[in-house]
Amino acid sequence: MKELGPPIDLPAARKDPDSGYTVHGRRFQDPYAWLERIDDAETATWIAAQEAVTRAVLAEVPGRDRLRAEASRASRYARMSPPIPAGPPGQEFFWQAGADDEKLAFMLRRSTGAAAQPETVLDPSAWASEEALVFAVPSPDGHLVAFGKSVGGTHDAVIHVLDIASRQVLPDRPRGSGHSAPAWLPDSSGFLYAACPEPGEVPPGEEALWHAVYEHRLGSRKPARRIFGGRHDHEKEYWCSVKASECGRFAVLSMWDYVHANTVHLLRLADGELMPVAPVMRSLNQVQVIGDSLLIHTDLDAPRGRLCLAPLTEPTAWRTLIPEGPDTLQTVAGVGGRLYAVHTHAASHRVRIHAADGTHLRDLELPALGSVNRNEGEGVVSGVSGRWDGDEVWLSFTSYVQPPSLYRYDYAADRLSPYHVPDAGLDASAFITEQVWYESPDGTPVSMFVVRHKDLPRDGQRPVRLSGYGGFNIAMEPRWAPVNAAWLRLGGVLAFANIRGGGEYGRGWHEAAVKTRRQNAFDDFVAAARYLVSAGWTTPGRLVSRGNSNGGLLVTVAALQAPDAFGAVYSRVPVLDMLRFPRFSHLAAATVEYGDPDDPVEGPYLAGYSPYHNVRADRRYPVMMFAPALNDRNAPPHDPLKMAARLQAEAAQGGPYLVLPLRASGHAGGTTASALIEQDVDELSFCCWALGVMPR
């Protein structure tokens, strides 16, 4: 570990020796529980004092202006989404931002001719900086847009409705809180949407539970009608989603048990009949209506996924179209009368095209090793889009060295043509992405991507940023991130470990690190760090581990269990108190992933690795930075505060342990391009300071 200079004087946190609780007969001290009251003056004062010290450290990093230039260049590029048809033939909506824009705008093009000029429908860059446009959905007739506005980086949106012709916002305010993107009724008279109940409709502390789907009629003064979910006590921790079918006859209603399983029903809009498709919570299912049939992508009886077909007259009578194969079937999109199946092959994507009867037609050649699909709140979303009865096929693509790009695919010519490939200042041809395999301590082979400049020597002294996630069935796949691109341009190496708990290799890979098997993920990650050293890339002192959310938990546990393997740790918006996480309402359902602290077996297991409860005074831990988002609704923003306070008080041999609060930020970060760039600059500055790297 590099010598960091004079000791850093960090403000001590008040220690409450009487604070604690007993779980399964064991007493656990919780001396910093007062930091959970994040809005109290005492907590705010301590956060500000910690931030002042961190800011002073980062401000002195040599070359910080260069870091800002690199982060800005990697972030400031033009963006565009696939078109969204709505209204008269030829009319389409899309998302767009120029390189200098602070936020994505929602646009309208009234015809597809060469002379058609786009119009701005919603421009959140004109709003207050802390306000964000979370979603925008045009009505089928193309006259209205239902959009979600959130404040402070959270995704607790409120639905508003804009009349496009008059540019006036209608007085409609649908009931509930935390609204998600709506599904319009076919006559544009209203929409279905998912939300939590109004405050006061549920017991105190359960405001983030009881998610349900509601129907809102425009102009109605009656409260929105609940039509699905949120009725029974066993459903209160589930969450719901709704999508409109392309044909306009149905809404697809899903109820999710976090990311492990979901039920699916069809709502026939003509008469309100609820039709079961996957009525039992035992598998992951995605459903699309095509003609008089249903496409069902499921992992039921197929851990790596299969595609089924069912008639609308008997939606539970599934017949396999595409059977389970050696690769993981991640999504299937019915577009242009064909089936576009996106598979995960060794943690990157392959696209295979099938006829409507499941017959394999050909593979679609991608621009490079990379990713087509994306992860959203409703699981994995296909990067192939278009209408079943249309003739346009759009494909989204990204990689570690290519920002999100849009292509158009011509099936007849078998040609993938670039439509929007932005310039983010990185020459992709100058970098190499290679996949390596290493063994975890139990002998399990684990894959990892290593990204570097093609001329970079393997001299054992490279600064390396190692990232991982290992949870919730989420795959670490090749995706663009400006902070990563800036690190590459600075001469660093990137490593991404595909550890157990993620979704890279199907349900079995995910379940290998849930609940009382979580240690497999930690072992896989530590083994990745040791491999990078043994393979001649770096030394432990020049390796920084970086994790976000569940990945923040991962890198913190790994550092506590194997402090000699890392030179520094950057833990962003993590969960770190594994005995109390269900008390944070948005994490109450995460017990299906982590286990239940109240369970006599799972509780002691959680206590065995919970970072907040496993700080040891006799260990020299690496330099750490904890970055809580103060408006976070997905992870408790107080966990990193408590963790830093405990490390500063009880682990004086190592560190230092810094706190960098992300203000006006939610789980995903700031609301403007400038805010996100500054957050990347701070992260890069920490990495350079902690590893002794000079930007070049």
Side-chain angles (χ1 to χ4, degrees):
M1 186 183 300
K2 105 176 185 68
E3 187 60 48
L4 297 175
I8 296 173
D9 186 16
L10 288 161
R14 174 175 62 83
K15 187 173 183 177
D16 183 354
D18 298 324
S19 177
Y21 47 85
T22 300
V23 180
H24 305 298
R26 178 181 168 189
R27 177 71 177 175
F28 291 91
Q29 298 301 121
D30 191 4
Y32 306 104
W34 61 270
L35 287 169
E36 295 181 5
R37 300 187 293 274
I38 204 155
D39 294 324
D40 280 8
E42 184 182 17
T43 303
T45 299
W46 184 83
I47 293 173
Q50 290 280 331
E51 182 180 16
V53 174
T54 299
R55 291 286 175 202
V57 169
L58 298 181
E60 295 300 317
V61 173
R64 186 169 163 89
D65 289 341
R66 172 67 192 282
L67 296 178
R68 181 173 289 104
E70 292 294 353
S72 181
R73 183 65 187 90
S75 299
R76 297 287 189 183
Y77 58 87
R79 303 161 198 245
M80 182 176 289
S81 76
I84 306 165
Q91 179 170 291
E92 59 189 26
F93 295 80
F94 58 98
W95 294 82
Q96 179 177 284
D100 296 327
D101 292 336
E102 288 295 314
K103 304 171 187 176
L104 281 163
F106 195 62
M107 311 292 292
L108 164 65
R109 188 181 289 113
R110 296 187 184 273
S111 66
T112 55
Q117 293 298 313
E119 306 171 22
T120 301
V121 177
L122 291 164
D123 182 11
S125 294
W127 301 349
S129 62
E130 68 272 13
E131 294 179 327
L133 180 60
V134 179
F135 54 77
V137 184
S139 60
D141 62 12
H143 295 157
L144 305 168
V145 173
F147 66 95
K149 178 185 284 191
S150 69
V151 179
T154 75
H155 277 69
D156 290 347
V158 176
I159 295 177
H160 303 262
V161 181
L162 176 74
D163 182 289
I164 295 174
S166 67
R167 291 298 198 266
Q168 296 298 308
V169 176
L170 304 184
D172 294 72
R173 291 294 181 273
R175 69 177 290 189
S177 62
H179 301 169
S180 62
W184 281 93
L185 299 175
D187 62 358
S188 303
S189 64
F191 47 76
L192 309 177
Y193 67 99
C196 293
E198 295 278 356
E201 292 185 343
V202 294
E206 296 186 0
E207 290 83 1
L209 307 177
W210 300 101
H211 211 234
V213 175
Y214 298 89
E215 179 188 71
H216 175 77
R217 293 283 180 170
L218 296 179
S220 173
R221 296 183 178 181
K222 296 180 180 179
R225 181 171 63 95
R226 185 180 61 188
I227 62 171
F228 180 76
R231 287 184 170 88
H232 308 292
D233 189 66
H234 72 275
E235 296 176 353
K236 72 177 182 180
E237 294 180 354
Y238 296 160
W239 54 277
C240 299
S241 62
V242 56
K243 293 181 182 297
S245 67
E246 179 182 308
C247 62
R249 294 176 294 161
F250 299 93
V252 180
L253 308 175
S254 298
M255 183 181 294
W256 300 77
D257 176 10
Y258 230 76
V259 295
H260 295 69
N262 67 321
T263 65
V264 182
H265 290 74
L266 286 184
L267 178 67
R268 190 162 58 202
L269 297 175
D271 57 10
E273 181 180 350
L274 205 60
M275 305 160 58
V277 179
V280 180
M281 192 77 71
R282 58 178 177 174
S283 56
L284 281 170
N285 313 284
Q286 293 280 5
V287 173
Q288 179 182 355
V289 180
I290 56 167
D292 292 325
S293 301
L294 291 173
L295 287 177
I296 304 113
H297 170 227
T298 182
D299 63 3
L300 179 65
D301 301 324
R304 291 183 300 278
R306 62 184 171 121
L307 181 70
C308 299
L309 187 74
L312 281 170
T313 55
E314 197 176 357
T316 57
W318 300 2
R319 173 173 61 87
T320 298
L321 274 188
I322 302 176
E324 181 182 28
D327 294 337
T328 300
L329 180 60
Q330 202 173 70
T331 61
V332 180
V335 181
R338 300 178 186 89
L339 310 176
Y340 289 78
V342 181
H343 295 258
T344 296
H345 173 79
S348 64
H349 289 161
R350 305 288 187 272
V351 180
R352 294 165 187 160
I353 307 173
H354 298 257
D357 64 359
T359 303
H360 178 255
L361 300 172
R362 67 168 73 120
D363 289 357
L364 194 162
E365 185 175 350
L366 297 177
L369 184 148
S371 300
V372 172
N373 293 340
R374 64 189 185 277
N375 282 300
E376 291 188 355
E378 298 169 11
V380 182
V381 177
S382 178
V384 181
S385 59
R387 296 180 64 87
W388 175 252
D389 61 0
D391 55 9
E392 283 193 329
V393 181
W394 297 93
L395 183 134
S396 300
F397 178 82
T398 187
S399 74
Y400 293 124
V401 293
Q402 180 175 333
S405 304
L406 185 60
Y407 294 80
R408 178 182 273 152
Y409 180 63
D410 184 334
Y411 179 83
D414 190 21
R415 182 173 60 246
L416 191 67
S417 303
Y419 183 81
H420 177 73
V421 180
D423 174 17
L426 196 71
D427 178 7
S429 66
F431 295 87
I432 294 173
T433 299
E434 59 181 329
Q435 190 172 50
V436 300
W437 291 81
Y438 63 92
E439 277 196 3
S440 198
D442 65 357
T444 299
V446 183
S447 64
M448 176 165 58
F449 291 109
V450 179
V451 191
R452 60 181 173 85
H453 193 280
K454 63 183 180 181
D455 297 329
L456 204 65
R458 191 185 300 199
D459 59 4
Q461 295 298 315
R462 297 298 96 200
V464 175
R465 290 174 75 247
L466 170 63
S467 300
Y469 195 79
F472 296 94
N473 201 36
I474 294 174
M476 287 287 287
E477 296 159 339
R479 302 182 191 282
W480 175 266
V483 68
N484 292 337
W487 184 254
L488 289 174
R489 282 178 55 85
L490 293 166
V493 174
L494 296 170
F496 302 88
N498 306 125
I499 63 177
R500 283 173 282 184
E504 293 87 347
Y505 298 101
R507 180 179 280 269
W509 192 253
H510 170 218
E511 292 180 345
V514 300
K515 296 188 176 182
T516 56
R517 295 184 289 275
R518 204 76 183 179
Q519 187 61 41
N520 286 332
F522 309 140
D523 289 344
D524 291 355
F525 191 73
V526 172
R530 299 200 189 283
Y531 170 86
L532 291 165
V533 173
S534 66
W537 281 114
T538 192
T539 64
R542 287 214 151 193
L543 191 154
V544 56
S545 63
R546 196 268 188 197
N548 187 73
S549 190
N550 177 74
L553 167 67
L554 168 75
V555 298
T556 307
V557 173
L560 295 188
Q561 294 185 354
D564 62 311
F566 308 96
V569 175
Y570 184 85
S571 178
R572 186 185 177 284
V573 296
V575 182
L576 299 173
D577 183 342
M578 302 310 293
L579 293 181
R580 310 296 267 178
F581 74 87
R583 295 190 310 163
F584 190 71
S585 57
H586 286 74
L587 283 174
T591 54
V592 298
E593 174 80 14
Y594 290 131
D596 187 347
D598 292 331
D599 183 88
V601 174
E602 295 168 357
Y605 187 90
L606 286 163
Y609 75 78
S610 175
Y612 182 61
H613 303 94
N614 283 280
V615 174
R616 291 175 48 176
D618 61 343
R619 288 200 169 182
R620 183 178 176 85
Y621 297 123
V623 184
M624 298 189 196
M625 178 173 281
F626 296 97
L630 298 188
N631 291 340
D632 205 333
R633 300 292 187 270
N634 296 66
H638 49 72
D639 270 19
L641 307 178
K642 292 169 56 177
M643 186 71 195
R646 187 159 227 166
L647 283 165
Q648 291 169 8
E650 300 178 16
Q653 288 190 37
Y657 316 105
L658 305 178
V659 174
L660 182 65
L662 307 180
R663 297 185 181 274
S665 292
H667 202 62
T671 57
T672 65
S674 294
L676 293 170
I677 289 169
E678 287 305 307
Q679 290 174 3
D680 285 349
V681 173
D682 288 338
E683 180 179 341
L684 291 167
S685 298
F686 167 75
C687 293
C688 290
W689 171 75
L691 302 186
V693 176
M694 288 287 290
R696 65 175 178 82

